[in-house]
Amino acid sequence: MMRTKVSGFAYFYPMHHLLGIRHHGPGSAKAVLSALEATPPDCLLVEAPADGIADFGLRIADCPDPQSAIRNPKSQIVPPVAMLIYDPKDLSRASYLPFAEFSPEWQAIGWAQQRGIPVRYMDLGMDANFALDEAERQNPQAALEFLEKMTPEERAFRSDPMAYLAQLAGYSDSERWWEVMFESAGNGAEIFAAIAKMMTALREGTDESPRTLLREAHMRQAMRQAMKDGFQNIAVVCGAWHVPALEGFEKIKASHDAALLKGIKKIKTTATWIPWSYDRLTFQSGYRAGIVSPAWYELIFSDLPPRGGKNAATHWMVQVAMLLRKEDLDASSANVIEAIRLAETLATMRRLALPGIDELREAAVTTICEGDLEKLQLIENKLITGKKVGSVPDDIPAVPLQKDIEQAVKSARLTKYWENTDEEWLGATAASPQGGIDLREESGRLKSHLLHRLNLLGIPWGRPMELNRHQSAGGFKEFWKLKWAPEFAIRIIEKGAWGNTVEEACVNFLTKKTEETTALPALTLLVKQTLNADLPAAFDLLLRKLENLAALTTDVYHLMEALPPLAQIVRYGNTRGTDVRAVELVVQHLVPRICIALPAAVLNLDEDASKEAFDKLMGVNRALGLLNDPAFFSQWFDCIAHISDNLRVNGILTGACTRVLFDKKIRTEAETAIRMEYSLSPATPPLEAAQWLEGFLQGSGLLLLHNNSLWNLLDAWVDGLNEYIFRDTLPLLRRTFSRFSAPERERMLGLAKQGQVVEKIAKVSDYEEGRAGRVLPLVKRLLFEFDSLSGGSGQSI
């Protein structure tokens, strides 16, 4: 019996059954089962790396009855899963071999294990492939020689051999052609002979890559070894493309294959099982053997004989209606029935045995979605790709770090991480769709610490979300979006070298990171992450490095970048019960140095450099607002006053400084109006005036709406621009005003239509302080409660 690699089904030979399949093909899987039932083998060879895990015992879920896995899930491997093979000494060398329930190899292995038939992997092992990859990296020219000999037409053919046959059949998409001909047609074992002839004709006259020749030589040797071990009726499940190379393998001398494989070095590998997901089986994920619609293939597999009738289209349309209703969109039963009829009619018109995914989509959009494609796109990921996630038994071999992560997940009462393949809010409910975790509760702190620690290790299962500027910094609630990626499994193995527990790995990783970090902004960010992750064992070393680096840093921009995260630590550290006195000392040294060095640092900057300095300046201003220290304010206001009056500083910076001084009541309205009148005077070049205006109006346009004198100055300046200068300054003005809210822009438009605004002087009567003082405590309490509920700390009230 021999086996080949083809995108199709299995093919029979007396005593040697070559079952050529399309990986993850539901029709291929059914055809393989039919072939195995018709002629049961005494040994099964599968195209998979020889160093993979072939002995599953009784773990694999009963493939013909997937519900059996649900009865005892802890002892079962439930697809989709992937076999992970990696080099424990170099984790950049790793390979994933995914399996779904409808994968022919998975079905064949399950069938064989149910009957006690030995299963062997016959492909070239990853231990050899990793060594060959390394040799190609060291000598890339040898690998390029094969491609250089090929013509452009040959390269196009090699990239997708099935496209040639699809075009002959009138299809522009080879995947669609293969699905129609082989996956949804319900073929039996008799299709294998036809596929073998088709592949033989397709490969005739073509040269194979050196790697493919080595793989096929290894497959033939595995078949010879099975015969040598006494097996008389061998079944081979492999990709259809390899069938011609394995057919009649007796005619190829064993010495020829042995010579090809001689001298190949091997790198020791380790293999394990990890959960996989349908979205990782798609072409879009970058998987070269991917498919278009795993969810649709699952329906085809469950519907093909002998499991049932032609009901896949019905089930698919019912899913469309269910998903739309979950999105609060109408989807009536009548529309579903009409959609099924339309899909079947389209299939008949196109001479198809059954509707495919294209017919189903067209019918769903036309009827259920009433011609609105956006409705279908809203549910397309769940409908086309599917959300199914596999699972592996708890006793599958794993590194200690992975076991500790799983235990931490249980302790924090989080959903098993591999079930979060779609990004979703942590703790989301119908009443609170954005969820959130309360840091005042023990379970909330456990969740927060675990997610922050995993982020530190480069395993971003959770992504912190800022709903407003205060929540992430000092609120009692944190908001996260969770999404697990299967490749995190290899990162867990990689980070396992740092420690056996999450905390130990983080501390050791931070220690090394602290030693390597030489930039003050990066170190301050590391300090903040360490506090969020609750790693006191690493905090002392970080603080010592922070103090030394802050003292040695002379770049004022680095000092300015470092201040905001440190200010947040000082301001909100106590919310988490953190001792921040050491950080306060660092901040007390940073602020004066920034105030002294900044005026000289912003002189004579071009536009791009000025915008960078503007961002850092506003960041420092917000940080000092958090600290709310009068001494810091005094130094800072004196610093920006010097900047605002310096003619050698770009307008965006002088305008921003003027605005800050006005907002903080350091400069009066009259003084600000004089400064604005000077900056917008005819003597000032229009582009410079527009830059000053951009800096002055940053953040909000309310200042203009509530101050008629400033508005009149701006209105007069714009009115005085001639046509050519106005055209040059318009992009800057557009950029400035586009940042205002729609209501602000609408009110400004109304003021602009009025022209000059006459300021109305209203008589302000004295108010009674005694009576006002009685309600102030209540107002303060209400504001405190509102601030706390919205995520703030309430300390600034």
Side-chain angles (χ1 to χ4, degrees):
M1 164 72 166
M2 301 166 79
R3 93 111 162 73
T4 59
K5 179 149 191 185
V6 165
S7 305
F9 295 83
Y11 151 86
F12 269 136
Y13 243 50
M15 307 301 292
H16 301 90
H17 315 292
L18 296 179
L19 311 179
I21 53 90
R22 189 259 191 261
H23 302 297
H24 313 304
S28 298
K30 282 304 179 76
V32 166
L33 292 176
S34 297
L36 295 176
E37 290 286 352
T39 309
D42 56 2
C43 178
L44 176 67
L45 300 182
V46 178
E47 182 198 341
D51 52 348
I53 305 174
D55 183 15
F56 306 144
L58 297 177
R59 291 185 198 264
I60 289 187
D62 187 6
C63 295
D65 178 18
Q67 293 300 317
S68 63
I70 299 175
R71 300 189 198 111
N72 188 17
K74 291 187 178 179
S75 65
Q76 301 287 353
I77 298 177
V78 182
V81 292
M83 186 189 303
L84 169 60
I85 306 176
Y86 61 95
D87 174 7
K89 294 183 178 179
D90 183 358
L91 294 172
S92 64
R93 300 188 185 118
S95 179
Y96 302 89
L97 287 88
F99 295 91
E101 183 195 355
F102 47 79
S103 299
E105 302 93 331
W106 185 264
Q107 289 294 323
I109 293 170
W111 183 93
Q113 289 202 335
Q114 285 179 327
R115 292 157 179 78
I117 297 172
V119 178
R120 295 183 179 183
Y121 290 167
M122 63 183 299
D123 203 352
L124 188 67
M126 295 311 302
D127 51 2
N129 275 293
F130 290 155
L132 291 170
D133 291 342
E134 182 62 29
E136 288 181 1
R137 277 192 291 268
Q138 294 177 0
N139 185 16
Q141 187 59 36
L144 291 174
E145 287 180 0
F146 172 73
L147 295 175
E148 291 173 351
K149 294 177 182 178
M150 298 169 61
T151 65
E153 292 76 14
E154 289 174 331
R155 289 195 189 114
F157 174 80
R158 290 300 303 243
S159 64
D160 188 3
M162 300 303 148
Y164 176 73
L165 295 177
Q167 289 174 2
L168 291 178
Y171 286 81
S172 59
D173 183 358
S174 60
E175 282 296 316
R176 178 65 176 138
W177 169 77
W178 186 271
E179 179 188 324
V180 170
M181 296 299 297
F182 302 111
E183 302 305 339
S184 60
N187 299 308
E190 68 280 356
I191 195 66
F192 299 146
I195 291 179
K197 291 180 180 179
M198 181 177 67
M199 292 299 125
T200 301
L202 205 57
R203 284 189 60 161
E204 187 175 356
T206 62
D207 294 329
E208 285 301 325
S209 67
R211 185 70 63 91
T212 300
L213 294 175
L214 289 175
R215 291 179 60 201
E216 291 174 344
H218 193 279
M219 294 177 194
R220 291 190 291 266
Q221 290 288 67
M223 294 170 68
R224 296 186 183 100
Q225 185 62 47
M227 294 179 63
K228 185 178 179 180
D229 292 341
F231 295 108
Q232 300 297 316
N233 190 17
I234 305 169
V236 179
V237 177
C238 66
W241 185 256
H242 300 299
V243 169
L246 302 184
E247 194 173 21
F249 73 98
E250 301 95 335
K251 299 178 183 178
I252 301 176
K253 292 183 178 181
S255 59
H256 171 269
D257 289 339
L260 282 177
L261 299 170
K262 185 178 180 181
I264 297 179
K265 296 181 180 180
K266 292 186 178 181
I267 296 173
K268 187 176 180 181
T269 60
T270 301
T272 187
W273 287 102
I274 61 173
W276 209 247
S277 61
Y278 273 178
D279 65 331
R280 305 297 295 181
L281 283 174
T282 61
F283 286 118
Q284 295 87 337
S285 69
Y287 177 38
R288 289 194 300 174
I291 54 181
V292 174
S293 175
W296 172 238
Y297 271 19
E298 181 183 5
L299 278 176
I300 293 178
F301 178 73
S302 63
D303 191 59
L304 286 172
R307 288 200 176 188
K310 300 178 179 180
N311 295 318
T314 302
H315 294 314
W316 196 86
M317 288 299 180
V318 169
Q319 271 191 301
V320 172
M322 292 173 59
L323 291 171
L324 287 174
R325 288 169 185 171
K326 287 182 179 179
E327 299 292 338
D328 294 328
L329 296 172
D330 291 334
S332 68
S333 300
N335 282 344
V336 172
I337 295 171
E338 288 301 317
I340 295 169
R341 290 174 179 169
L342 178 56
E344 291 174 347
T345 302
L346 287 172
T348 302
M349 293 173 63
R350 295 167 183 175
R351 300 180 181 180
L352 303 176
L354 291 171
I357 195 68
D358 291 339
E359 289 72 37
L360 294 170
R361 290 181 64 179
E362 290 176 34
V365 171
T366 303
T367 56
I368 302 177
C369 300
E370 299 175 335
D372 189 352
L373 181 60
E374 291 184 357
K375 288 184 180 180
L376 189 66
Q377 291 173 341
L378 187 65
I379 60 171
E380 196 163 25
N381 186 49
K382 297 176 184 177
L383 184 68
I384 306 297
T385 303
K387 295 183 64 176
K388 193 168 185 179
V389 181
S391 63
V392 299
D394 294 338
D395 57 348
I396 283 286
V399 295
L401 178 61
Q402 181 177 332
K403 294 292 186 182
D404 188 66
I405 291 175
E406 292 172 359
Q407 183 58 48
V409 168
K410 292 179 182 178
S411 300
R413 299 180 181 178
L414 285 166
T415 306
K416 289 183 178 179
Y417 48 81
W418 56 80
E419 296 177 2
N420 297 105
T421 56
D422 280 342
E423 193 170 53
E424 58 186 36
W425 289 95
L426 173 59
T429 62
S432 177
Q434 292 166 333
I437 53 178
D438 194 332
L439 298 178
R440 292 169 294 186
E441 299 175 356
E442 180 65 21
S443 62
R445 288 193 293 272
L446 288 174
K447 292 181 177 71
S448 174
H449 295 160
L450 175 61
L451 294 173
H452 279 295
R453 289 175 180 182
L454 291 178
N455 276 337
L456 267 174
L457 291 175
I459 306 170
W461 174 26
R463 187 162 58 96
M465 306 299 295
E466 293 188 28
L467 301 188
N468 61 51
R469 193 165 58 192
H470 305 289
Q471 282 171 330
S472 69
F476 292 116
K477 295 192 77 174
E478 281 185 345
F479 296 86
W480 293 81
K481 277 191 173 181
L482 303 183
K483 183 178 181 180
W484 183 260
E487 57 266 25
F488 291 167
I490 196 67
R491 297 190 193 178
I492 292 176
I493 297 170
E494 180 182 358
K495 300 305 180 184
W498 294 101
N500 293 334
T501 67
V502 180
E503 182 174 2
E504 181 186 1
C506 282
V507 170
N508 292 334
F509 180 73
L510 278 171
T511 300
K512 180 68 174 176
K513 195 77 173 175
T514 301
E515 294 173 354
E516 295 174 348
T517 302
T518 57
L520 184 60
L523 191 65
T524 54
L525 184 60
L526 209 57
V527 171
K528 183 181 177 183
Q529 293 171 334
T530 304
L531 285 174
N532 291 340
D534 189 35
L535 297 168
F539 197 55
D540 290 341
L541 177 63
L542 268 170
L543 283 181
R544 288 197 297 272
K545 180 69 175 284
L546 179 66
E547 292 172 353
N548 294 334
L549 201 55
L552 296 174
T553 299
T554 57
D555 189 328
V556 67
Y557 287 167
H558 281 183
L559 298 177
M560 294 171 74
E561 284 185 62
L563 184 60
L566 294 179
Q568 288 188 354
I569 293 171
V570 173
R571 182 69 170 84
Y572 299 120
N574 290 330
T575 303
R576 296 173 176 269
T578 308
D579 186 358
V580 296
R581 285 174 293 182
V583 180
E584 290 176 351
L585 292 175
V586 175
V587 170
Q588 288 176 6
H589 288 91
L590 285 184
V591 175
R593 294 175 60 192
I594 291 172
C595 294
I596 292 171
L598 184 58
V602 296
L603 295 176
N604 303 316
L605 298 179
D606 61 19
E607 185 176 356
D608 292 336
S610 296
K611 288 179 180 177
E612 180 184 355
F614 168 81
D615 292 334
K616 290 180 172 58
L617 185 146
M618 298 312 297
V620 170
N621 189 65
R622 287 190 292 269
L624 294 177
L626 283 178
L627 295 172
N628 200 24
D629 187 316
F632 291 161
F633 280 144
S634 176
Q635 298 173 62
W636 178 242
F637 294 151
D638 185 57
C639 166
I640 61 176
H642 282 87
I643 294 174
S644 70
D645 294 334
N646 198 319
L647 298 178
R648 294 164 60 194
V649 177
N650 187 279
I652 192 173
L653 293 172
T654 57
C657 291
T658 303
R659 173 66 181 272
V660 171
L661 294 170
F662 176 77
D663 287 344
K664 297 299 182 180
K665 296 182 172 54
I666 304 302
R667 285 186 177 167
T668 64
E669 182 178 323
E671 292 173 327
T672 304
I674 293 173
R675 170 56 60 184
M676 185 175 186
E677 186 175 9
Y678 172 78
S679 300
L680 301 183
S681 67
T684 305
L687 288 178
E688 292 182 14
Q691 290 173 343
W692 186 93
L693 192 62
E694 181 180 3
F696 182 73
L697 295 179
Q698 49 82 28
S700 171
L702 290 175
L703 176 66
L704 291 175
L705 294 174
H706 296 289
N707 194 302
N708 292 336
S709 61
L710 297 182
W711 171 263
N712 288 336
L713 285 170
L714 175 62
D715 183 66
W717 174 72
V718 173
D719 189 53
L721 297 176
N722 64 45
E723 179 182 354
Y724 301 104
I725 294 177
F726 178 76
R727 189 178 302 167
D728 292 338
T729 57
L730 186 58
L732 282 173
L733 291 174
R734 277 180 176 166
R735 184 172 64 191
T736 300
F737 282 85
S738 66
R739 294 169 182 165
F740 301 153
S741 65
E744 288 176 346
R745 293 199 302 270
E746 188 174 349
R747 289 183 60 187
M748 287 180 186
L749 180 60
L751 289 176
K753 291 178 180 178
Q754 296 178 27
Q756 293 288 309
V757 179
V758 179
E759 190 165 1
K760 298 179 181 178
I761 302 175
K763 183 178 180 181
V764 180
S765 59
D766 294 335
Y767 69 94
E768 300 180 27
E769 287 193 38
R771 293 180 61 190
R774 296 174 191 172
V775 299
L776 284 178
L778 177 60
V779 172
K780 185 175 181 180
R781 180 62 181 171
L782 290 172
L783 291 174
F784 179 87
E785 292 295 334
F786 175 78
D787 189 54
S788 297
L789 288 173
S790 64
S793 67
Q795 297 177 8
S796 61
I797 305 298

